Each structure stands twice: as C-alpha cells, then as structure tokens.
Amino acid sequence: MEFHRETRPVPQLPFITSSEGVVYNDSIDHGVTEAPYEHRFSPYDFNGGTTIAISGKDFAIVAADTRLSSGYEILSRNVSKLHEVTTKCVLGSAGCKTDVDQLRSVLDIQGKVYQHNHRKQMATPSVAQMLSNTLYQRRLFPYYAFNVLGGLDQHGKGAVYSYDAIGSFERSSYSATGSGQAYMIPLLDNVIGHRNRMDIEAELGAEEIVEIVKDAFVTAGERDIYTGDSVEIKIITK
C-alpha cells in the first residue's frame, strides 16, 4: 500500500520590514505603522445650489439661492451664483465654486476682447454660443458647473439657454439647474409651461413670475439641503 502526501501552500500573512528583519503580522492594517493607505485626490467638489431662468415677451428673469455647501457643511450663506456677462445677459451657475469662478473669468476676458474689437457688447445669442464653445473646449476635463443663461436677444425678446457639462445647449422659455432642479422643473412645467392643464394659458408679467420664482425656491429649500438661506433675483428688461 502506497501513501501520497498532499502539500498545500501556506498563505502569506501581511508583513513589514524593520531593523529586526521581516516581521509577519495578522492584525488589521490601519495605515499608521504598517502599509499606508491609498489616498486619492479629486479636483472637483460639489458646492450645491440651484439656479432658475424664465423668459417673457420682453424680459427675462434669472434667480439663484446664496447657500454654499460642501457635504453636510454650510460654508457660506451669502455667495452669489449670478454673474452679469453683459448688460442684457446674466449667467446662473451652480456646482463647484472654483470651476464656476474660472468659467466666469474666461467669459469676461472673451467678452472684453469682443467689445474691444467690435466697439459693442456681444448679443445674448452670441454669448450663448461663446459659452457653449468654452465648455466644449474643456470636454476632456469639464468645468463642474451647471449653467443657465438668461437675457434679451437682438430683437428685445426674452431668451433662456440651458446647458450640459460639455456645452450642448438649447433655447427654451424656462430652465433650472443645480441640486434643486428635480423640484423646480415639475413646478415650472405646470405653471410656466402650462403642461397637462385644460384651462386657458395666460401671459404672465414680470411681477407674477417673480412671485412664482419665490415659491419655487421655498419648495426646493424644503426638500434640498443644498438650497436655501436667501434668493437673488435679477430682472433683465429693455
């Protein structure tokens, strides 16, 4: 009768090298005295906030809250998310504060170059295209900004443009971006877009839309922890 001995490999325990040689240790690695943790850096931070834009017959309204957050911490209660690109055009941006500031700086520089070369301010549709090009140029490392643009076009009519992260945009009568977008859009669809309603659609004035904007931010602030404190509203007219 022959006996066969089976050999199995012994699992290796974690080890560290010290002055005493190789020391095996089966304790939990906390990254303090043993193998270090792998740390990762993210260039983005979501600072929250909600922006909204609504166009009328001869006006446009752009609004945003003023809360700046990071995670569950409120960093500031008085930070503007609105930026005047021209006297007839306002940009609302939520997302990463540093990327928003950089995007504003780039747009301001391009706007000043245009004004210097043509001796006039850029029209709102041109600003919309410029913003799209600026975002698309950074498509491989996008600006972490959720943008909505509101103003008056060359005919004096209200115009609103909504964007994705890499510059795709469309003109619409209203839009909302940011952390409270999911709470804003259903309300705007019903009240401004008049969707799924059987009553007669009435043309709303600037004062009435301002009140709707206030109610929309109250609604979003009740459900979204990144939206709140106060609302900044800009009305663009002829």
Side-chain angles (χ1 to χ4, degrees):
M1 182 179 295
E2 296 182 0
F3 295 92
H4 297 279
R5 183 177 181 181
E6 182 181 357
T7 59
R8 297 181 179 178
V10 179
Q12 296 293 326
L13 297 175
F15 66 89
I16 56 174
T17 303
S18 65
S19 58
E20 300 178 357
V22 177
V23 178
Y24 289 94
N25 191 347
D26 60 350
S27 62
I28 299 176
D29 180 10
H30 295 285
V32 179
T33 58
E34 301 165 10
Y37 281 135
E38 178 183 0
H39 295 281
R40 295 186 179 183
F41 167 75
S42 174
Y44 297 123
D45 186 20
F46 180 64
N47 298 125
T50 304
T51 63
I52 187 175
I54 302 172
S55 63
K57 183 178 180 180
D58 56 355
F59 64 90
I61 295 175
V62 186
D65 71 307
T66 59
R67 177 174 294 180
L68 183 70
S69 306
S70 180
Y72 293 104
E73 180 180 3
I74 296 177
L75 304 178
S76 176
R77 300 182 185 274
N78 190 29
V79 173
S80 176
K81 297 180 179 65
L82 304 183
H83 180 67
E84 292 187 13
V85 184
T86 68
T87 57
K88 298 297 183 181
C89 182
V90 174
L91 173 67
S93 302
C96 181
K97 180 66 165 60
T98 52
D99 278 11
V100 169
D101 289 343
Q102 176 64 20
L103 178 60
R104 291 174 177 176
S105 177
V106 171
L107 294 178
D108 286 343
I109 292 171
Q110 294 176 346
K112 289 179 181 178
V113 170
Y114 180 93
Q115 187 170 0
H116 176 78
N117 292 335
H118 300 276
R119 298 294 189 269
K120 64 178 182 179
Q121 285 189 339
M122 192 178 297
T124 298
S126 300
V127 174
Q129 185 62 57
M130 178 182 67
L131 176 56
S132 174
N133 295 343
T134 303
L135 294 173
Y136 186 73
Q137 289 172 357
R138 285 284 301 270
R139 62 191 178 278
L140 300 180
F141 189 15
Y143 292 110
Y144 192 29
F146 309 102
N147 302 288
V148 62
L149 189 71
L152 301 180
D153 62 12
Q154 61 271 31
H155 305 294
K157 297 181 179 180
V160 168
Y161 300 87
S162 57
Y163 293 80
D164 69 0
I166 58 174
S168 296
F169 72 105
E170 65 174 350
R171 181 172 176 172
S172 59
S173 57
Y174 58 89
S175 182
T177 63
S179 57
Q181 181 187 37
Y183 308 107
M184 292 285 197
I185 293 297
L187 177 61
L188 297 180
D189 283 340
N190 183 266
V191 180
I192 304 298
H194 211 76
R195 299 184 182 181
N196 302 320
R197 296 179 61 173
M198 302 299 294
D199 55 330
I200 299 176
E201 182 177 1
E203 183 177 337
L204 300 176
E207 294 80 7
E208 295 172 294
I209 293 182
V210 167
E211 295 302 319
I212 293 173
V213 168
K214 294 177 182 178
D215 292 338
F217 273 97
V218 170
T219 300
E222 289 290 335
R223 295 287 184 178
D224 179 30
I225 64 173
Y226 300 110
T227 300
D229 293 317
S230 60
V231 179
E232 183 180 11
I233 302 175
K234 290 186 179 293
I235 305 174
I236 305 104
T237 58
K238 293 181 180 180

